[in-house]
Amino acid sequence: GPAVAPPVATVTVGADVRVAGLSAYDLVLRPKARDTRLGAVSIAIDSATGLPLSVEATARISSGVANGSRVP
């Protein structure tokens, strides 16, 4: 059979959020690799349609995790 790539990120469901007045949940992806500048990616998913409403990328810094920017 085809080779399966090992998982490169952990995926969790974060807190419920509202984006543009719509109810959504946050899908949070965190890279497993420690040698990356990416801390996490949060994708707000519309609870009714399953469509992505916004994406936020958060950078990792040497003393922890820096704040990112949400893009609607």
Side-chain angles (χ1 to χ4, degrees):
V4 177
V8 296
T10 59
V11 180
T12 57
V13 177
D16 291 341
V17 295
R18 291 193 71 76
V19 177
L22 300 172
S23 177
Y25 61 92
D26 241 355
L27 194 61
V28 182
L29 294 85
R30 287 189 170 76
K32 289 187 174 187
R34 295 287 182 199
D35 60 346
T36 178
R37 292 184 181 173
L38 182 63
V41 174
S42 298
I43 306 168
I45 305 294
D46 186 308
S47 299
T49 66
L51 295 173
L53 299 176
S54 69
V55 176
E56 179 180 17
T58 306
R60 181 189 318 263
I61 58 175
S62 60
S63 62
V65 175
N67 287 332
S69 297
R70 184 169 289 277
V71 179

